[in-house]
Amino acid sequence: MTGRRRSYLEHWAPLHKMSVKDAAANFPKEAGIARYGDPEEIAELMACLVSPRHAG
């Protein structure tokens, strides 16, 4: 959950007539994702993908 995602939910929630807390719980289900990833998880994935070990 990043600041950008929180900002999006603050906009998304009133459009769907719910609180931001409820939007945070409901949005993943509607978007078809199991959970929000942490920025650190994404950073680790990116580091792995660009590591010399994965270079073509």
Side-chain angles (χ1 to χ4, degrees):
M1 176 69 76
T2 63
R4 183 175 181 181
R5 175 59 58 202
R6 275 190 281 290
S7 176
Y8 177 81
L9 290 173
E10 289 169 0
H11 175 73
W12 191 85
L15 296 175
H16 293 85
K17 297 179 175 59
M18 62 180 70
S19 70
V20 174
K21 182 179 178 180
D22 288 341
N26 290 318
F27 179 80
K29 295 174 205 164
E30 290 195 27
I33 58 176
R35 67 177 182 84
Y36 294 108
D38 294 323
E40 294 80 11
E41 292 173 310
I42 304 303
E44 289 174 11
L45 171 64
M46 297 308 293
C48 179
L49 292 174
V50 301
S51 72
R53 181 176 68 207
H54 285 90

